[in-house]
Structures are given as structure tokens and as C-alpha cells.
Amino acid sequence: MIYGRLLGKVRTWVRLRSSLVRQCLAEFLGVFVLIVITLSASAQAVTSEGVKGGYFSSSLAGGIAVMVAIHISGGISGGHLNPAFSLTMCLLNQCPWWKLPIFSLVQVLAAFLGAGTVYTLYYDAIHHYSNGTLEVTGPRETASIFATYPAPYLSLRNGFFDQVLGTAVLVVSILAIVDSRNKGIPKGLEPLGVGLLVLSLGLAMGSNCSCAINPARDFGPRLFTYVAGWGHQVFSAGNYWWWVPIVAPMVGAATGTVAYQLCVEFHHPPAPDEEILTAAPEKHQPGSEKEVEIPVYAVNKYAEMWAEGGPGTWAAGDRSKWEAANSTRTVKPEQ
């Protein structure tokens, strides 16, 4: 009983009235959980040298992490979790443009702190695996636990296309999942659908550069590794690869949004309410009758009395009022 009352008071004190702050907190927590689960799976696979996980387990953990993150933030902020998807929402007028930099900053900050949490969790394992040296390249590198790096054969041009295509497929698929006028899925299962989508993208498009498709997921942890001791090589490695997972997903998001609109969304039959709003007014054809609604007005009481018996039947006061009102009326003679 006492605990319940205390909990009620605390809830009243800390409850936020600002919807923007609530949305930012939901995005922060969602991205934080997403990064902690995703990077922890990667750290476990790397530091155990494949004994306690591998690429499939990391991809599976990433897909489940996305599902959980959407459940955390979806009902508050929409569950963007990704600056590229926030851009898509802005392009579709479902999110104001001024929120884009705010959400992006919150997402990057959450990813940064999530990476720090994973580093703390696996601190001993990382230093044991790397012999105490934090390297970006080489057989004992550990920077790829946190951020994405291109395969040795991958050029910047091919890597850029990889990220554009992967993000475009992500956006097109999510728009189809949430499109109520398409082949929808049962309400409440959207997070599961998106999680399976991310899993499939990781398994199908992860060979070249680990399928970042999320600027916050890549840049936040990369910035943390720079601060934590991996050094400036986290930005110079891979022929200065670091900017590709930031710019290319934004291009891919815009491309995927336009593709879904042009190929699917614009061609939906109009809804009944849209038909009413967009119906053109009928043109009146000369020589045909046009129906017009004639309004009914209140009838003047003197006209009623005239119809009942004429001025001869009126009371003296009513007759004088009628004569005074009509003495100033000018009747225009007929031409």
C-alpha cells in the first residue's frame, strides 16, 4: 500500500507534459537497447573466436533487437530508430522536418552510449582477445565489433551502392508493411515483420560491409571507438569509409520512398472520403433544368393576416402599422 502511494506520487512528479521530450526519450531508449543487443552479439562472436556465435547469430540478434526497440518506442515516437527512416517520414509529411535533426542527434547519442555500455560489459574479453591492443585492422582487430568496415575488395563506389540499395529495400518493405491499403499484416505484428526484414537484409547483404543501413547505428559507435582508444584510424580505414554509412542510407531512404510512392502508393483506388473531396462539380448544360434547393424563410405575420382575411379584418393597431410601412413604398411602373 505504501509503495503504491509512493509510486503514484513519483509518477505525478516525473510525468512529462512535452510530447517532444517524451518522443526523444522513447527514441533514446529504443536505440540504446537496439545497440546493446546488436553489439553484444557481435562482441560475443568475435571475442570467443566463433565458439559462442557467428555471423548468423549476430544477424538474428540484430533483427530481434529491432523488433524489441520498435515495441519500446513505436507507440510514442513511431519507432524511427534510424535517421534514414526519420527522413522517410519527413518526405511523407508524417513527421515535421524540424524534428529530423533532433531525432538524429538523439539516436546518435543513444548509439554512442550503447556502444560504451557494450565496451564496459566486454572490456575484459576485448582486451584478452586483442592482447591489450585496440586495433582497427589486422587479425586481432576489434573495431568491427562496434562499427562497419568494408571488405578488402570493396571500392567506395560499390560500397556506396550497397548501402543505398540496402536502405532502399528496407524503406520500401517497411512502407509496404505499414500500408493499410496494401496487403497488411495483423495489427501489432509490425515489429516482428520489420525484425524479420532486418534479419533477411543482414543475411543477404552483409558480406560487403556488414549492412549498416542506419547512420546512427554506425556513427555513434564509431565515434565512441575513436574516444575510447582505437584512434583516428576508425575514420581513415577503408579509404575513409566512415562517411559512406552516413550519406548512402539517407540517399537510399529517399530513393525507397519515391520508388514505393511511384510504383504502389499513388495507384491505390481513392478511398470513399477522397472521392467526396476530389469529385468535380457537375457543369450545368444549357437548355436543361437545374435543381436548386430553395430555402424556406419565416413568413411575415402581416402577410399571414392578409391571407386570412385582408386589411379589413385587422385590428386598428395592426392596420395602422401596415399603412405606415407601405406609405413609403415606391412602386415602379411596368415598362
Side-chain angles (χ1 to χ4, degrees), residues 27-37 109-111 113-115 117:
E27 283 291 310
F28 179 89
L29 185 59
V31 174
F32 179 83
V33 171
L34 166 65
I35 295 300
V36 167
I37 296 176
L109 177 61
L113 295 178
T117 302

Side-chain angles (χ1 to χ4, degrees), residues 136-137 149-151 154-156 233 235-242 244:
V136 178
T137 59
Y149 293 88
L154 190 68
S155 65
L156 283 179
Q233 198 175 2
F235 293 107
S236 61
N239 196 17
Y240 292 92
W241 166 262
W242 70 272
V244 176

